[in-house]
Amino acid sequence: LSTALRHAMVTNQLQLYYQPQLSIDGTRVVGAEALLRWQHPELGWVSPAEFIPVAEESGQIIAIGEWVMRTAIEQLNAWMDSGLPAMIMAVNLSAAQFRQVNLPVLISNILDEVKLPAEYLEVELTESAAMDDPQGAIEIMENIHSRGIRMSIDDFGTGYSSLSYLKRFKVYKLKIDQSFVRNLDSDLEDRMIVAAIISMASTLGMQTIAEGVETVEQLEALKLLGCNEIQGFYFSRPLPADKFEGFVRNHYASKNN
Ligand code: C2E
Ligand code: MG
Ligand code: MG
């Protein structure tokens, strides 16, 4: 897989898809999350859950991650140039990228080259990656934050956060993991966990977004609990760039009718 991935990089088999993130009332597309897709000529679609760990282990994630960062930033810039409303581009960072000392400079350089203001970029780090070395994470987050770039914690609720560290993280948003969202309307315990995450986030001055929202029941439950934003198949699957653009234009066109 690692050899095939090296080949994939140079033969343009990797693509980015974009999933819309919406305000909880569904009126605004507030952002897009860039998600890697790999279509191999023989293997077909290989899931990121399968190839990202391989890329991490082989070190290829550094080059792939840089390509993702550049491509996503250029894409948002192109959309805004073509008249799409301003929104945030969220880019996943792997633990190995996060440990790279030159990461903040690298991101700033790409933003400068593309001429996209830093406030339009959000980097996502999983809770487990952040908590792996929380003291180190604080320093890197402060560096990223000082450049005007937002940070969010991905898959929140699955990674044993230390709350004393969490409050020291320069984090803008918590992404509530889809495992809690899935049974939100039937499982009282999951509902209580989501309620606790939202109220804690609000106390710490952080926003919340729920991942994996698939049904109107989940959406209504999240609304009642005070969640700020949602992402999931209910509104849209991750889409290729042209389809994403169509989704956004269509969304606003139908709202104005
Ligand atoms: P993630 O960052 O938590 O991304 C959310 C995943 O949930 C995506 O899976 C997305 O397609 C899926 N999803 C979104 N809405 C729904 C829904 O309503 N229901 C269900 N069942 N699933 C939903 P995907 O694209 O397969 O990516 C899996 C993971 O791979 C991501 O989880 C992320 O950790 C990693 N990944 C993807 N792209 C990148 C990348 O560019 N860099 C790095 N480092 N990791 C990436
Ligand atoms: Mg993510
Ligand atoms: Mg997630």
Side-chain angles (χ1 to χ4, degrees), residues 38-76:
W38 177 15
Q39 192 171 21
H40 186 274
E42 281 108 51
L43 302 170
W45 294 97
V46 188
S47 156
E50 214 172 308
F51 73 81
I52 285 174
V54 174
E56 287 242 356
E57 212 159 299
S58 63
Q60 288 162 297
I61 194 69
I62 301 299
I64 295 175
E66 186 176 340
W67 176 83
V68 169
M69 186 63 72
R70 187 178 302 276
T71 307
I73 288 173
E74 284 173 351
Q75 183 61 72
L76 180 62

Side-chain angles (χ1 to χ4, degrees), residues 2-121:
S2 164
T3 312
L5 194 54
R6 194 155 288 128
H7 190 64
M9 269 292 275
V10 292
T11 54
N12 300 321
Q13 291 168 18
L14 296 181
Q15 286 180 64
L16 286 185
Y17 273 37
Y18 301 90
Q19 188 174 34
Q21 302 181 325
L22 283 96
S23 56
I24 190 80
D25 62 7
T27 58
R28 283 178 310 124
V29 181
V30 292
E33 178 175 7
L35 292 160
L36 260 171
R37 292 293 176 264
W38 177 15
Q39 192 171 21
H40 186 274
E42 281 108 51
L43 302 170
W45 294 97
V46 188
S47 156
E50 214 172 308
F51 73 81
I52 285 174
V54 174
E56 287 242 356
E57 212 159 299
S58 63
Q60 288 162 297
I61 194 69
I62 301 299
I64 295 175
E66 186 176 340
W67 176 83
V68 169
M69 186 63 72
R70 187 178 302 276
T71 307
I73 288 173
E74 284 173 351
Q75 183 61 72
L76 180 62
N77 203 51
W79 279 333
M80 286 176 21
D81 276 352
S82 77
L84 232 55
M87 67 177 96
I88 300 300
M89 178 61 76
V91 177
N92 292 284
L93 284 184
S94 78
Q97 282 174 283
F98 193 64
R99 282 193 299 267
Q100 289 259 298
V101 281
N102 65 346
L103 176 79
V105 173
L106 178 89
I107 302 176
S108 283
N109 285 346
I110 298 176
L111 288 167
D112 287 348
E113 280 165 37
V114 180
K115 297 192 174 59
L116 184 77
E119 66 200 73
Y120 293 113
L121 177 66

Side-chain angles (χ1 to χ4, degrees), residues 197-208:
I197 294 175
I198 292 171
S199 94
M200 179 191 66
S202 135
T203 308
L204 294 176
M206 297 171 185
Q207 302 277 307
T208 45

Side-chain angles (χ1 to χ4, degrees), residues 225-244:
L225 294 173
C227 188
N228 302 110
E229 296 169 0
I230 43 169
Q231 179 180 345
F233 297 170
Y234 177 70
F235 279 108
S236 173
R237 292 183 173 260
L239 302 168
D242 56 334
K243 295 252 165 53
F244 180 92

